[in-house]
Amino acid sequence: MAAGTDDMRQERERPQRMGDLATLPVFFDLSGKRVIMAGGSDAAAWKAELLAAAGAAVRLHAEEDGLSDEMRSVLEAAFERGSIVHVARGWAEADFEGAALAVADCETEAEAESFAAAAHRAGVPVNVIDKPAYCQFRFGTIVNRSPVVVGISTDGAAPILGQAIRRRIETLLPLSLTGWARLATRLRSNVMDSLMPGPQRRSFWERFSDSAFTRKAPDDAAEAEARGWVEDLARSPSAGGRVTLVGAGPGEAELLTLKAVRALQAADVILFDDLVSDDILELARREAKRMLVGKRASRDSCRQEDINRMMIQFAKAGKHVVRLKSGDVSIFGRAGEEIAELRQEGIPVRIVPGITAASALAAGFGVSLTHRDCAQQVRFVTAHSRKGGLPEDLDWHALADDNATTIFYMGGRMAPRISERLIAEGLPAETPVAVAANLSRDDETRGVGTLAGLGALVERVGVDRPILIGVGRVFSECEANVTEGYEPVGMSRLPARVA
């Protein structure tokens, strides 16, 4: 292993302690348990329906003339497990005895105080609707994929925000999840009996969860396949070992794909590049081992052979390894070598693509890389050969095409030579160029200029930073991004053209 690699391949620690919680989220089994309710309003109707849907035997205390139309409708509904019985009178102290919960909709503070006090004396947790001072628990907002249930609380501060969060979560949880959760219930005893606690069981459930989020509702064949996974793991604990190559995108955590987030949250080990941001690593499973295996120019780096060896070693130990690369896995990421090594060792490997830096560059400058008035093709080119210099086997004459957009990756130190070669092959010196460093990050820096001034422009952006260079007429409209009110972070304002 190269000198300094031990320092580079360090584990990036994360705090393991739980942060402060405004409230403790708990899930209460109400099946067959009695709940006392007071009030016949619409708000009380929603709570009564929710409790009955959870299997509770609700006794609703309210005068007949105090029932809203919504409450009357709920009283007529049939529930699979729970029930609602109307008691046509107000509540009494004795009604609290043996109750699991107490819920009321009270018009006045005095009524609320009296109901809460009676619940306290009986030792029954109480909620008075819309009166947090008398509440020992809150209902929150619910995403229902039962038996998967997600509860969301804003501690009463912003119910509308809670609803917005619920809508966001609902888009992430397919309706088919209900079927997979029910299948999990049927499989649970088999898993518990056949697989050892810890990595074996978790390996099964991670694979099961992957199917739940990526496949249609389970049928008999899916159940048979899942039972086969149990048998495979029982015979060979290392059977669950696998590697997922994940594209982390240009840097901003919100640009990750949902599939990438799920892979991070299912990982046992994460081998990550130097350019992967802390915000992205924060999305990973808390218990995952994180190891920096970055390769950067002009300093000691972890060799590719060592990275391959680590992936194979961990996977053969039954671990789910995530190889986390900046940008897209399949673009200048050495993924081909890693895939070949893993397949040679018989280790399952899959790819989760990410947003490549070229797409982030286009988004940052607000352009289309293939604007039909400027470019009929786009090329991604590495600006480094294996020897560290400018690749000499490139067809520079073909790259000097005025009707194309060319994106040079890792081109900081090669910028002057890129400019010289393209101009020598006939590309006009005034061809627009765009340069960006640390795309999509807080310290992102951008600038535009001409091909003739590319070297000076890159010098100002920062040669030693992760640099991306765009060359082509599609960048001719980027002046406004720099000169009209936009000042790149970390540098003085650039002129529209650097000659």
Side-chain angles (χ1 to χ4, degrees):
M1 188 175 291
T5 300
D6 289 340
D7 294 332
M8 292 299 303
R9 189 169 46 83
Q10 59 190 338
E11 186 173 349
R12 192 176 291 184
E13 298 292 342
R14 288 290 174 265
Q16 299 298 307
R17 293 183 180 275
M18 178 66 69
D20 290 342
L21 289 172
T23 55
L24 178 67
V26 295
F27 294 89
F28 200 170
D29 182 6
L30 288 176
S31 299
K33 295 183 173 63
R34 184 165 60 85
V35 174
I36 177 174
M37 284 201 69
S41 65
D42 286 355
W46 162 239
K47 295 299 190 293
E49 183 176 5
L50 188 64
L51 291 162
V58 180
R59 293 182 63 83
L60 176 70
H61 294 264
E63 300 294 345
E64 186 68 34
D65 59 1
L67 299 178
S68 69
D69 290 342
E70 181 67 22
M71 180 61 86
R72 293 181 188 277
S73 175
V74 169
L75 287 171
E76 294 174 359
F79 297 92
E80 185 174 339
R81 295 184 297 131
S83 62
I84 307 174
V85 175
H86 177 215
V87 182
R89 61 169 174 81
W91 60 269
E93 191 92 13
D95 294 321
F96 289 86
E97 185 176 350
L101 296 176
V103 181
D105 188 13
C106 301
E107 294 185 1
T108 67
E109 291 292 317
E111 291 173 349
E113 183 177 5
S114 178
F115 185 88
H120 292 163
R121 287 191 292 272
V124 179
V126 61
N127 175 283
V128 180
I129 299 170
D130 290 336
K131 290 182 169 53
Y134 302 104
C135 294
Q136 292 178 305
F137 68 92
R138 297 183 177 88
F139 284 89
T141 303
I142 292 174
V143 178
N144 185 11
R145 298 290 187 269
S146 190
V148 175
V149 179
V150 180
I152 303 160
S153 170
T154 60
D155 198 30
I160 299 301
L161 175 61
Q163 294 169 18
I165 295 170
R166 182 204 70 209
R167 291 192 295 270
R168 179 69 64 88
I169 293 175
E170 283 181 331
T171 64
L172 304 179
L173 301 183
L175 292 173
S176 61
L177 196 60
T178 292
W180 286 99
R182 289 174 178 164
L183 175 56
T185 301
R186 297 197 297 274
L187 293 172
R188 180 174 176 79
S189 60
N190 187 19
V191 173
M192 298 292 284
D193 292 342
S194 303
L195 302 181
M196 295 292 292
Q200 258 194 320
R201 290 181 187 172
R202 205 176 69 78
S203 180
F204 169 80
W205 288 119
E206 292 293 357
R207 188 170 180 180
F208 181 91
S209 299
D210 284 345
S211 296
F213 280 100
T214 57
R215 295 166 59 176
K216 63 182 182 180
D219 53 16
D220 291 343
E223 181 167 351
E225 183 181 8
R227 294 188 184 279
W229 300 342
V230 176
E231 294 174 4
D232 290 344
L233 284 167
R235 285 195 301 268
S236 173
S238 64
R242 64 195 191 280
V243 175
T244 305
L245 307 182
V246 176
E252 184 180 352
E254 289 191 356
L255 294 178
L256 281 176
T257 65
L258 297 178
K259 199 167 187 177
V261 173
R262 286 200 289 267
L264 286 172
Q265 293 174 349
D268 296 307
V269 180
I270 300 171
L271 306 180
F272 62 95
D273 281 351
D274 193 67
L275 297 179
V276 174
S277 69
D278 287 346
D279 288 345
I280 288 174
L281 288 172
E282 287 292 349
L283 297 172
R285 177 170 166 259
R286 182 176 293 270
E287 295 82 5
K289 184 181 185 68
R290 300 166 172 85
M291 303 181 73
L292 173 61
V293 293
K295 298 187 290 294
R296 292 286 294 276
S298 304
R299 75 177 194 192
D300 292 327
S301 300
C302 191
R303 297 183 304 170
Q304 185 63 49
E305 295 85 350
D306 296 321
I307 297 173
N308 294 348
R309 178 183 53 76
M310 283 188 282
M311 287 192 295
I312 292 167
Q313 176 183 332
F314 284 122
K316 285 191 171 181
K319 305 295 186 184
H320 178 197
V321 181
V322 165
R323 175 72 175 97
L324 187 61
K325 300 167 174 283
S326 60
D328 180 66
V329 169
S330 301
I331 297 180
F332 306 128
R334 308 286 291 272
E337 298 168 47
E338 295 174 352
I339 293 169
E341 287 273 353
L342 292 165
R343 287 177 175 168
Q344 184 176 338
E345 295 290 334
I347 296 170
V349 57
R350 65 171 184 164
I351 294 175
V352 178
I355 293 176
T356 189
S359 297
L361 178 78
F365 282 103
V367 301
S368 167
L369 296 179
T370 54
H371 192 297
R372 63 182 181 179
D373 293 336
C374 304
Q376 282 69 56
Q377 58 179 306
V378 61
R379 292 86 60 97
F380 298 164
V381 180
T382 177
H384 269 86
S385 67
R386 288 194 174 192
K387 298 178 181 179
L390 196 66
E392 292 300 325
D393 55 353
L394 289 174
D395 187 345
W396 287 95
H397 181 71
L399 291 177
D401 183 352
D402 194 39
N403 292 310
T405 303
T406 304
I407 308 297
F408 289 92
Y409 285 66
M410 301 165 287
R413 294 185 179 278
M414 296 296 109
R417 295 185 61 189
I418 291 171
S419 174
E420 291 171 5
R421 289 298 301 267
L422 291 175
I423 292 174
E425 294 293 343
L427 194 61
E430 64 272 16
T431 300
V433 297
V435 174
N438 289 350
L439 279 159
S440 83
R441 300 167 185 262
D442 291 339
D443 59 345
E444 175 183 327
T445 307
R446 291 182 248 151
V448 296
T450 65
L451 184 59
L454 178 60
L457 178 57
V458 170
E459 281 287 342
R460 298 186 66 181
V461 172
V463 172
D464 292 326
R465 304 169 75 197
I467 292 283
L468 203 70
I469 298 170
V471 178
R473 288 186 290 122
V474 297
F475 299 107
S476 62
E477 300 300 320
C478 291
E479 294 180 5
N481 291 348
V482 176
T483 60
E484 295 180 10
Y486 177 84
E487 184 165 348
V489 178
M491 64 184 291
S492 59
R493 185 172 303 176
L494 293 173
R497 294 285 182 262
V498 180

